[in-house]
Each structure stands twice: as C-alpha cells, then as structure tokens.
Amino acid sequence: NAGVTQTPKFRVLKTGQSMTLLCAQDMNHEYMYWYRQDPGMGLRLIHYSVGEGTTAKGEVPDGYNVSRLKKQNFLLGLESAAPSQTSVYFCASSYLSDRGHGEQYFGPGTRLTVT
Amino acid sequence: SQKIEQNSEALNIQEGKTATLTCNYTNYSPAYLQWYRQDPGRGPVFLLLIRENEKEKRKERLKVTFDTTLKQSLFHITASQPADSATYLCALDMWRSGAGSYQLTFGKGTKLSVIP
C-alpha cells in the first residue's frame, strides 16, 4: 500500500516550457487535490476532483489544468511555465465525507523550479 | 473576508513541557477543523479532526479543543519530545463563493522546536 505517490520529485523548467505532474493513489479515494506551497503563503489549493471525470477550480487555478481520467490518477499540467510557478506541489486524496473534505493523505511533493 | 490564522510562526519549548499551538478563524463557522504535522521536505500528515459539536479530542499525547464561540482551536502536545519538532498546520472547511463549494483551507503553520 503505497498511499499517494507523485512523479517527478524534482524538475527544472525554462519559462514557456510545459510539463505534467502525475499523482497516483491506491486507497480508492473519491477526492483528489493539487496544492502548491510557498514560503510565507502556506498550502493553497489549485484544483481538485470529486470523482473520475470531474474537476473543479481551487483558490489559485490560473496557469494550471488538470485531468482525472482514472479514479486513482490526478494530473496537473502547466502549459506555459512562468517563474511565478516555482513552488513545491503536493497532491492529496481523501475519502468522501460530509461537506466533501475528510482527512487528507498527502504525497511527498514535487519541487519545481522555473527559470 | 474569511481568515484562518495560526498565531505563532515559531514556538520553542523545553522537552517534557506541554506545547500549545493556537488556530483562530474569522467570519466563518466551520463544520470541523483538522490538524496536520509537516516535517521538512515532506508532505503534511493528518493528526486529528474535531467537529463543531465536539469540545475536545485526544489521541495519545495530543489534545485538540474547539471553541466555536471564540472561533479558536488549541492543539496541545503533552510531555513534548525533540521528535515532536515539526511544523503544525490547522485546516478548516471554508465556503469559497468563487468556486461554489467548500474547500479545505490551511493556516500557514507554526514551527515547533522542542529543545532537549
């Protein structure tokens, strides 16, 4: 039981390049999330998904797209990377709960640098 | 606007003492509040969840209180150990009108250092 895994662990991009971050969970959770964490800003929700084939915007969605084609996977895409997207990205998943957000299980993070 | 604040950015405490961390929120009434632990270079780990109709919850050396009148949660670690040194995050479900849904919103965290 691996929990939540993220690929890659580290990445350096040049401005304007694109990339996809992959998140996988083996807990059969309905909900999945992408957060970014920056010094002094805390964790901020980018996008989330309440089930296979559905996605929704979080607090800071601009510049990112997501897809949830399979229940266990949640992909975060950067179409044209900008230095402001330099951050640590965390994926999380949770079971279905009242108000939709039970305890969340986080992955180890992806450290992205955009130069 | 809705806000969630963890009062201290950093807290130093002597080993064996009780550490108390504070989480305050404004302009909102969450259904529940969660606490997480985050070690450097790692993702947050869930510790405790407390609901609005619960005053207190315990798990081993951890205790969480939830005062909906004061709009405050206190997180206590009794008999603290150097291994408890980490950043502790509180989180609560906030209604985001722009998204049209509840979303879990995290505080910025308090970095706890337990000194031997």
Side-chain angles (χ1 to χ4, degrees):
Chain A
N1 190 338
V4 179
T5 57
Q6 292 183 232
T7 310
K9 289 186 168 47
F10 303 94
R11 185 73 185 267
V12 178
L13 285 180
K14 293 189 188 311
T15 298
Q17 287 184 321
S18 64
M19 77 164 295
T20 300
L21 282 68
L22 172 63
C23 175
Q25 53 97 1
D26 61 2
M27 295 172 283
N28 202 34
H29 285 165
E30 291 292 333
Y31 283 34
M32 294 187 75
Y33 314 83
W34 275 108
Y35 293 90
R36 60 178 290 172
Q37 188 173 41
D38 304 289
M41 299 296 291
L43 278 164
R44 292 183 292 169
L45 183 64
I46 304 171
H47 286 282
Y48 65 102
S49 168
V50 300
E52 185 177 318
T54 69
T55 63
K57 294 180 181 179
E59 185 183 355
V60 288
D62 294 341
Y64 305 95
N65 57 73
V66 288
S67 65
R68 182 115 180 255
L69 298 179
K70 292 183 179 180
K71 186 176 183 180
Q72 63 268 34
N73 295 337
F74 195 30
L75 279 64
L76 177 71
L78 286 73
E79 288 187 348
S80 179
S84 60
Q85 294 177 303
T86 293
S87 186
V88 181
Y89 291 85
F90 288 102
C91 176
S93 68
S94 73
Y95 52 80
L96 201 60
S97 177
D98 56 317
R99 306 249 288 228
H101 303 289
E103 59 191 79
Q104 297 193 1
Y105 295 79
F106 283 81
T110 295
R111 187 173 295 274
L112 175 67
T113 302
V114 183
T115 61
Chain B
S1 63
Q2 301 166 354
K3 284 176 62 176
I4 178 170
E5 290 182 342
Q6 294 188 247
N7 285 8
S8 304
E9 280 191 16
L11 178 66
N12 296 329
I13 193 163
Q14 207 70 32
E15 182 177 5
K17 301 290 186 184
T18 296
T20 299
L21 284 64
T22 305
C23 179
N24 294 298
Y25 56 93
T26 60
N27 298 328
Y28 194 66
S29 297
Y32 53 78
L33 191 145
Q34 303 182 29
W35 283 90
Y36 290 78
R37 168 184 173 139
Q38 186 173 23
D39 291 287
R42 311 193 82 154
V45 175
F46 172 79
L47 295 174
L48 282 167
L49 181 152
I50 186 166
R51 298 187 180 277
E52 60 183 338
N53 59 350
E54 297 174 318
K55 295 292 185 192
E56 180 181 299
K57 206 151 192 186
R58 292 176 186 260
K59 178 183 175 182
E60 298 172 352
R61 294 184 295 111
L62 308 180
K63 184 177 86 171
V64 173
T65 63
F66 195 9
D67 189 324
T68 54
T69 302
L70 291 178
K71 294 189 183 295
Q72 180 181 81
S73 175
L74 298 179
F75 177 81
H76 306 273
I77 305 175
T78 58
S80 58
Q81 305 165 1
D84 295 325
S85 298
T87 296
Y88 292 86
L89 309 172
C90 69
L92 52 88
D93 58 317
M94 277 189 168
W95 176 258
R96 294 229 174 249
S97 55
S101 68
Y102 291 100
Q103 295 176 3
L104 200 62
T105 300
F106 286 81
K108 294 178 182 178
T110 296
K111 185 176 180 180
L112 175 68
S113 296
V114 181
I115 303 161

